[in-house]
Amino acid sequence: MVVIGEHRHTQVTVDLQAIKHNVEMEMARKDPLTELWAVVKANGYGHGILQVAQAAKQAGATGFCVAILDEALALRAAGFTEPILVLGITEPEYAPLIAEQRISVAVGSLDWLQTAEKILTANATPDPIHVHLALDTGMGRIGFQTPADLARTVTWLRAHTAQFDFEGIFTHFATADQSDDTYFTHQVNQWKRLIAAVGELPRYVHVSNSATSLWHQACNGNVVRFGVALYGLNPSGTALAAPYELAPALSLTAQLSFVKRLAKGQSVSYGATYTADRAEWVGTVPIGYADGYERRLQGFHVLVNGQYCEVIGRVCMDQLMVRLPAQVAVGTQVTLIGRDGDHEITLQDVADYCGTIHYEIACGLAPRVPRIYQD
Ligand SMILES: *Cc1c(COP(=O)(O)O)cnc(C)c1O
C-alpha cells in the first residue's frame, strides 16, 4: 500500500512519554476511585488515535471517549477491550453493531431508545446497548433538558433491560475554561436538579472534560473525560494556569527543499504580496495549507537552526517560503511547531496567530503528514 506523505520530509512527531506524563499527573490528583477515560476523538486530536489510546492506557486510563461510531470501531478492531463511549448521537440504525461491539453510546431522547429497540428486536440482537444518558445543563448541544423527560426515559430504560444497559449519565460544561464561574454554577445547579429525577445512579457518572477536572471540584462524578490536556495543551489557552506542568506531545517539522538568494525587488508566491527590499536568502518548505498549515500563517514564523524565520508571501497548498538569516543547506530542519534550541513555537502560538484555538490547529493537521512516535 502506498502511504501518501511517506516520501517527503515533513512529519508530525508525537512524544508518547508526554501523553503518559499528562495522564499520570492528572490521575495523581484524583480520588483513586475516579477513572480517567482518554478522549481520542478526531484521530486523537490529530496525534493518532491508536497510539494515543495505547499510551494513555499504559499510564492508567481505563476507558475511551470518541465522537463517532467509526472511531469506537477502530479502537475495538485494534483490540481495545475497555469501555468506549461515543459522545455524539449515533444513528439508531446502527443499534445491532453498537450492541455487538459493546460500544457505549450517548443518548439524548426517549425517541432514540424506542427506535433502537425496534431495530434490535427486528434483528434479534442478543446483546444490550450500553447507554449513557446525556443531560443538557446549558451546553445546548444534546441531551435531556427537563426532569420530567429524564424521569420518563429512566423508567422506560429500566423496563427494557434486555435491550439496554443503563450504564452512565453525564453532562458537559460550556465555560469550565473561564475564570468567571457564573455560568458554570448555573450548569451545576441544573445538573443537580436533573439528577434528582434519576433515583439510583448508574455505574458511571461524569461531568468533567479537561477544564472541569483541572479547575472545578463541583459534582465530580467518578469518571473524567480527559481530552485536550492529555495532549499537553491547556484547555483555557492562556487564561488559567494548570495545576501542574502539561507536557505538549506534538511537534511539526520539515526539511528545506530549496534555498535561493532573492535579489532586491523580486517577489515571492501567489499574488506577489511579498517583495524583497534587499537581497536575502529564502528557503522553501514542503508543507502548505493542504497539510493543515493554514494560509493565514503568512507573516508568522518557523524555526531554522534555532532562529525565528518569517513565513513570507502566501502559504501555498503544498509549499511555503521563509526568509533565512543566511544561506543554509537544503535539507536543514525546519520546526513549524515545537522546540529548536532556545526557542519554542507552540500550538497555542500558531492558534493565536490564526485567531483560533489550539484544538482546531491540532486536529486540522492532515492525514498527508505522517505521524512518527517517540517512546
Ligand atoms: C471533546 C469532549 C470532551 C473532551 O474535552 P477537552 O476539552 O478536550 O478535555 C469531553 N466531553 C465531551 C462531551 C466532549 O465532546
Side-chain angles (χ1 to χ4, degrees):
M1 200 182 80
V2 175
V3 178
I4 293 178
E6 193 181 20
H7 300 99
R8 172 179 69 161
H9 289 152
T10 298
Q11 64 177 59
V12 161
T13 304
V14 178
D15 176 359
L16 296 173
Q17 291 300 338
I19 303 264
K20 290 179 193 168
H21 163 88
N22 299 322
V23 170
E24 283 161 8
M25 293 300 282
E26 189 61 15
M27 298 221 2
R29 293 173 65 237
K30 297 276 133 208
D31 162 336
L33 295 177
T34 300
E35 296 187 30
L36 184 148
W37 288 13
V39 183
V40 293
K41 59 192 179 189
N43 193 29
Y45 293 45
H47 294 62
I49 180 170
L50 299 180
Q51 293 83 357
V52 169
Q54 188 59 36
K57 175 176 163 171
Q58 284 169 1
T62 50
F64 303 101
C65 298
V66 294
I68 66 174
L69 181 58
D70 297 296
E71 294 169 334
L73 298 175
L75 288 171
R76 280 283 177 265
F80 289 95
T81 56
E82 292 76 12
I84 304 170
L85 171 62
V86 180
L87 296 165
I89 301 294
T90 308
E91 288 296 325
E93 66 182 281
Y94 304 117
L97 182 59
I98 295 165
E100 180 203 317
Q101 294 288 316
R102 287 185 305 103
I103 308 298
S104 304
V105 288
V107 171
S109 69
L110 180 52
D111 252 16
W112 192 98
L113 291 168
Q114 291 174 336
T115 306
E117 193 245 342
K118 289 198 188 79
I119 297 169
L120 290 173
T121 306
N123 284 272
T125 307
D127 312 300
I129 288 185
H130 301 279
V131 170
H132 288 230
L133 293 182
L135 308 191
D136 184 1
T137 57
M139 178 67 186
R141 194 163 66 178
I142 59 168
F144 296 89
Q145 291 183 290
T146 68
D149 269 357
L150 180 59
R152 206 154 54 92
T153 303
V154 168
T155 303
W156 191 91
L157 260 183
R158 288 182 173 141
H160 291 82
T161 51
Q163 294 87 6
F164 300 102
D165 172 7
F166 176 26
E167 176 188 76
I169 194 158
F170 75 104
T171 195
H172 192 49
F173 289 106
T175 63
D177 57 347
Q178 298 173 12
S179 54
D180 181 344
D181 62 6
T182 315
Y183 197 77
F184 183 87
T185 307
H186 160 74
Q187 283 196 257
V188 170
N189 292 335
Q190 289 299 108
W191 165 259
K192 288 180 180 156
R193 200 168 74 93
L194 284 167
I195 211 85
V198 176
E200 196 193 332
L201 290 173
R203 170 158 173 217
Y204 299 117
V205 178
H206 47 108
V207 304
S208 295
N209 58 356
S210 301
T212 308
S213 190
L214 291 171
W215 295 303
H216 301 273
Q217 297 305 315
C219 60
N220 251 339
N222 53 20
V223 177
V224 172
R225 304 185 305 266
F226 201 55
V228 81
L230 175 69
Y231 306 93
L233 303 171
N234 182 323
S236 77
T238 52
L240 301 172
Y244 52 90
E245 185 141 9
L246 292 166
L250 182 145
S251 54
L252 174 64
T253 55
Q255 289 182 8
L256 288 174
S257 60
F258 196 84
V259 175
K260 64 172 172 292
R261 191 165 164 84
L262 207 63
K264 178 180 177 184
Q266 285 189 303
S267 295
V268 169
S269 197
Y270 291 116
T273 61
Y274 177 86
T275 303
D277 55 15
R278 72 190 82 128
E280 60 197 15
W281 287 97
V282 171
T284 301
V285 190
I287 187 171
Y289 60 79
D291 299 295
Y293 196 83
E294 299 207 3
R295 194 167 174 273
R296 283 175 291 182
L297 287 162
Q298 175 172 359
F300 191 59
H301 47 254
V302 301
L303 289 166
V304 178
N305 291 334
Q307 286 180 277
Y308 288 112
C309 300
E310 185 181 332
V311 176
I312 57 172
R314 295 215 174 117
V315 173
C316 309
M317 187 185 289
D318 321 293
Q319 304 178 71
L320 59 82
M321 276 63 78
V322 298
R323 186 175 52 236
L324 300 167
Q327 182 176 17
V328 299
V330 165
T332 301
Q333 175 157 302
V334 178
T335 301
L336 300 112
I337 298 168
R339 176 171 285 286
D340 180 12
D342 295 336
H343 298 299
E344 186 178 11
I345 298 170
T346 63
L347 269 164
Q348 181 69 38
D349 297 332
V350 175
D352 285 346
Y353 194 84
C354 291
T356 184
I357 53 175
H358 46 48
Y359 292 77
E360 192 184 18
I361 303 296
C363 67
L365 292 170
R368 191 168 82 172
V369 183
R371 272 63 169 171
I372 309 296
Y373 296 92
Q374 275 177 352
D375 207 350

